[in-house]
Amino acid sequence: MLKCGEPHYEQDRFQAIIVAMSILIAEDNVAQRAYLREILEKEFPSHQPVLEAGDGEETVKLALEHKPDVSILDIQMPKLSGVKAARAIWRDFPTARIIFWTQFPHEIYINEIRKIVKSVDPPPAYGFIHKNNPESRFLRFVAAVLEDGADMIDPAFKDSFKRPLLTEFEAEALYYLALGLSNWAIARKCSLSLRGVESRLATLYEKLFVSTAEGTPHEAYDKLAYNVRTRAFFEALRRGLLNNDELEKAAEELEGWIERDGKKFIEEQKREAKKR
C-alpha cells in the first residue's frame, strides 16, 4: 500500500498506459464527431479515452501531447487542414497512425499525403477513406491501421494513389496556368530560367496525359488540335488537383506578387534604358 508522501509510480504508469491506448478524432462537424466517438468507443473499448479536436491546430496539440494509437482526421478543418496537421504530427511523431476520413477526396490532397508519407522514414501506417462508406467498412479500416499497422486505401481512389506524384513546382504550376500566367511570368515568380520552366511544364504535361501514345500520329494530331495549357487546366480540375478554395488563395497571393513584380520590372526597364 502506498503511504502519504510516497511517489505514485504505479498510478503514474497506469495513467500513461491509458493515454497510450487512446484514439483521436479530428472533425469540425459536431454531429459527425459524436457519431465517430459512439462507434469507436463501442468497437474498440480497450482504446480509451477517445480524444476530440475541432480544428487542425488542436489536432496537432493533442496528437503530440497524448500520442494516440490512431488519429482519424477530417481533411477540411478550420485553422489547419487535416493534411497540414498530419505533416506537423508526423514531423514530431513519425510513428503516428493516421486515417484520413473525408468527403473531399480531391487528388490535390492525395498527392500531398503521398509526398508527406514518402518523406517519413520509415513510412507510417495510414488510411484514406470516403465518409460515404458504410460503418462496417470504416471500422475494418480503423482495425487494420490500428491493430495491424496496415495501409488502407478506399478502393474508389486506388487509381489516384498510383498516379505519378507531382513535385512542389508542378503542383504550384497548375495554379499559375489556371490563373493565366505566361511562362515568362512563371520564370520570374519561381526564379527559374525560361528554358527551365518549359522543361518542367513538359514533365508536368507528361504526368497529366500519360495515356497519350508518344511517337504516333495521334500524338502529332493532339499537339495540333489542343491547347496543352488549357487541357492541363481541365485535367487538373477533373482529377481534383485544383479546387476553388485553394484557387482563391492562390489568386490573392498572385495579385500581391504581380503588383510587386510589376514595380520591380519597371525599375529594371529604367536601369536598362540608362545603360543604352
Side-chain angles (χ1 to χ4, degrees):
M1 180 180 294
L2 289 172
K3 297 179 181 178
C4 183
E6 288 185 350
H8 292 204
Y9 294 124
E10 288 300 317
Q11 180 180 349
D12 291 343
R13 188 169 68 84
F14 180 68
Q15 289 176 340
I17 290 173
I18 291 178
V19 171
M21 297 292 282
S22 61
I23 294 174
L24 171 61
I25 299 169
E27 168 62 66
D28 60 309
N29 184 295
V30 177
Q32 291 183 351
R33 200 163 68 234
Y35 162 72
L36 284 181
R37 168 183 278 279
E38 180 183 350
I39 64 173
L40 291 171
E41 285 182 336
K42 180 180 178 182
E43 187 72 14
F44 305 101
S46 63
H47 293 275
Q48 303 289 338
V50 174
L51 308 168
E52 296 184 26
D55 62 62
E57 290 182 357
E58 187 181 13
T59 299
V60 176
K61 181 177 179 293
L62 289 176
L64 297 182
E65 179 182 345
H66 295 280
K67 301 290 193 296
D69 275 5
V70 69
S71 299
I72 298 161
L73 273 57
D74 185 19
I75 283 183
Q76 291 196 345
M77 291 189 291
K79 297 184 180 179
L80 206 63
S81 73
V83 177
K84 291 179 179 177
R87 186 195 299 275
I89 293 168
W90 275 324
R91 183 173 55 240
D92 295 327
F93 179 22
T95 58
R97 297 177 178 182
I98 296 175
I99 295 173
F100 298 92
W101 186 64
T102 181
Q103 64 185 37
F104 300 103
H106 301 150
E107 202 164 316
I108 183 177
Y109 300 129
I110 293 173
N111 190 72
E112 283 305 304
I113 290 168
R114 290 172 64 203
K115 285 195 293 187
I116 298 168
V117 169
K118 192 176 179 181
S119 71
V120 181
D121 187 25
Y126 76 104
F128 190 95
I129 186 169
H130 199 288
K131 287 184 178 181
N132 288 344
N133 274 281
E135 182 179 304
S136 57
R137 173 177 283 178
F138 169 73
L139 291 173
R140 286 200 303 272
F141 263 59
V142 175
V145 177
L146 172 63
E147 297 170 353
D148 302 329
D151 293 339
M152 297 294 290
I153 306 301
D154 192 323
F157 310 116
K158 288 282 188 183
D159 288 345
S160 296
F161 277 85
K162 293 176 181 177
R163 288 183 174 130
L165 277 173
L166 300 187
T167 64
E168 291 297 326
F169 170 83
E170 290 163 352
E172 287 181 16
L174 288 173
Y175 288 97
Y176 301 150
L177 297 180
L179 295 169
L181 278 193
S182 67
N183 287 2
W184 175 84
I186 295 173
R188 290 177 67 88
K189 179 78 170 65
C190 300
S191 301
L192 293 168
S193 68
L194 193 56
R195 186 182 294 274
V197 170
E198 291 168 351
S199 174
R200 286 168 171 80
L201 288 179
T203 302
L204 170 61
Y205 300 149
E206 288 175 5
K207 290 181 179 180
L208 291 177
F209 312 127
V210 291
S211 60
T212 301
E214 295 184 6
T216 69
H218 293 290
E219 181 192 21
Y221 177 83
D222 285 353
K223 285 182 177 179
L224 294 170
Y226 290 107
N227 179 310
V228 69
R229 296 167 77 90
T230 307
R231 193 176 176 213
F233 174 48
F234 170 75
E235 182 67 10
L237 283 177
R238 188 180 68 81
R239 284 168 43 177
L241 286 164
L242 293 171
N243 64 43
N244 287 336
D245 290 341
E246 297 296 330
L247 199 54
E248 286 290 340
K249 292 177 186 175
E252 290 179 13
E253 292 173 4
L254 187 62
E255 191 174 316
W257 177 83
I258 286 286
E259 184 177 349
R260 294 189 302 273
D261 193 63
K263 293 176 181 177
K264 180 181 176 182
F265 176 73
I266 292 172
E267 291 302 316
E268 291 171 352
Q269 293 295 98
K270 288 179 180 178
R271 286 196 295 269
E272 285 297 319
K274 288 179 181 178
K275 292 178 182 178
R276 292 170 190 160

